[in-house]
Amino acid sequence: MSLDIALLHAVVAVAKAGGFREAARMTGSNPSRLSDAVRRAEQQLGVRLFNRTTRTVALTEAGRVLMMRLLPAMNEVDAALDALNRFRDTPGGTLRLNVPVSAARLVLPAIIPGFLARYPDIQLEVVAESNVQDIFRDGCDAGIRYDDHLEQDMVALPIGPRIQRFAAAAAPGYLAQYGIPQHPRELMQHRCLLGRYATGVMAEWEFARADETVRLQPKGPLTCSIGAAMDLTVEAAIAGTGIVYLFEDWLRPALVNGQLQAILTEWWLSFSGLWLYYNDRRLIPAPLQAFIDYVRELNTAR
């Protein structure tokens, strides 16, 4: 029995993603096209591969048997095609990275343009999110995380500045009206602009000086989800709404041009930088290997 390999790829994508919409997002297709491909595959095979409801898409018993035999073969096909990259002048293909929003905003802009200029045949997709996810769940090849979010059995490679800091700041007008706090605990009497993780947990404000550490859960008029929504927090601080505590590099433009004034600078918390991590037990695709080599080169030059 023969079957178009493109239909097989569609079946595998939907099985891995657990649904048409997620599979479409991961493959750059659209749900209706994938649904049609799966339907045609089922017609040609003469057997139903998925049970579909309005909310779920799940493999049938026949589908599970097919996936057990098909996935290793499809992985071998992908590996064989990727091996051809060795014979190209420059590697090509798609590289998917799962990164926190802070990395996409503060670290990758100094890396990605040069990387893509060197490897014009590589298509890079960056999945930026505040949640800590399994990088392989969304079909990503590698992830960028802080060391406390590294997964087991991963190889970690430093990427970007090795030391970062949180910075506290407010608009000069706000400080003129409410006063400049001299100790982190005084923030409990101020209007603070807060962040909440996707889990629902409020971000704690932590400060350190010498041997003293202060952790706070301040109050304030604005709470934003951790991630890209923190831009709103910065703009609110600039407008005089309250005090912000965020990555120093995120606030630097407003600090430099005077829109924000730094406070409690001797208490700013320093922490280690980001890491690129990947599973070396898997075949490393050529685009990822090129990125790894590029990051190592930047680290050596630093």
Side-chain angles (χ1 to χ4, degrees):
M1 179 184 298
S2 63
L3 187 67
D4 187 343
I5 194 170
L7 300 184
L8 289 178
H9 275 293
V11 171
V12 169
V14 174
K16 285 183 174 180
F20 293 104
R21 188 177 300 277
E22 182 66 11
R25 188 182 70 81
M26 291 170 57
T27 61
S29 181
N30 63 65
S32 61
R33 185 178 295 120
L34 286 174
S35 179
D36 180 66
V38 169
R39 179 184 56 78
R40 287 189 286 132
E42 290 176 328
Q43 288 176 345
Q44 292 185 30
L45 292 171
V47 61
R48 178 175 289 275
L49 300 175
F50 295 94
N51 289 319
R52 306 166 178 81
T53 70
T54 56
R55 294 187 177 183
T56 63
V57 176
L59 285 167
T60 62
E61 180 62 26
R64 285 192 291 271
V65 171
L66 178 63
M67 285 301 104
M68 287 177 60
R69 302 291 297 272
L70 184 59
L71 280 175
M74 295 298 285
N75 288 337
E76 283 298 315
V77 170
D78 291 339
L81 294 175
D82 188 71
L84 293 178
N85 271 309
R86 293 185 299 135
F87 300 96
R88 299 163 56 94
D89 292 334
T90 59
T94 300
L95 171 62
R96 285 173 57 87
L97 298 177
N98 184 296
V99 310
V101 172
S102 58
R105 182 183 178 92
L106 305 177
V107 174
L108 291 185
I111 297 173
I112 295 307
F115 171 72
L116 293 179
R118 178 177 296 184
Y119 301 106
D121 294 330
I122 290 178
Q123 292 79 49
L124 176 64
E125 181 175 351
V126 176
V127 180
E129 56 188 1
S130 58
N131 285 350
V132 178
Q133 300 286 1
D134 175 3
I135 61 172
F136 303 120
R137 191 198 67 173
D138 291 331
C140 290
D141 302 294
I144 295 177
R145 290 288 183 268
Y146 292 96
D147 54 1
D148 58 342
H149 291 156
L150 293 180
E151 299 179 7
Q152 293 183 348
D153 301 323
M154 292 288 175
V155 176
L157 178 68
I159 183 169
R162 300 322 306 142
I163 297 296
Q164 294 183 308
R165 293 197 300 175
F166 280 113
Y174 173 91
L175 296 174
Q177 180 177 357
Y178 294 99
I180 301 175
Q182 302 301 311
H183 191 281
R185 290 192 183 88
E186 295 179 22
L187 294 172
M188 299 301 293
Q189 281 72 54
H190 278 267
R191 296 166 59 85
C192 296
L193 309 177
L194 311 172
R196 188 193 303 273
Y197 294 103
T199 59
V201 175
M202 294 291 293
E204 190 176 58
W205 288 21
E206 183 176 353
F207 299 85
R209 184 179 68 177
D211 295 330
E212 185 179 3
T213 299
V214 178
R215 295 181 178 88
L216 304 171
Q217 285 281 4
K219 307 296 183 182
L222 176 65
T223 300
C224 291
S225 59
I226 301 292
M230 298 308 289
D231 278 331
L232 175 59
T233 305
V234 177
E235 292 302 318
I238 291 172
T241 306
I243 295 174
V244 63
Y245 192 49
L246 194 59
F247 294 96
E248 181 183 6
D249 289 340
W250 204 319
L251 299 181
R252 179 169 287 115
L255 292 170
V256 170
N257 64 25
Q259 291 177 303
L260 291 177
Q261 179 179 328
I263 61 172
L264 299 170
T265 54
E266 69 274 20
W267 288 91
W268 289 1
L269 183 69
S270 296
F271 53 97
S272 61
L274 290 157
W275 298 80
L276 170 70
Y277 68 103
Y278 57 95
N279 192 336
D280 69 344
R281 295 183 180 180
R282 299 185 176 199
L283 175 70
I284 298 178
L288 174 57
Q289 187 62 61
F291 189 69
I292 292 169
D293 293 341
Y294 187 78
V295 171
R296 283 177 175 153
E297 181 182 321
L298 293 180
N299 289 343
T300 300
R302 185 174 293 118

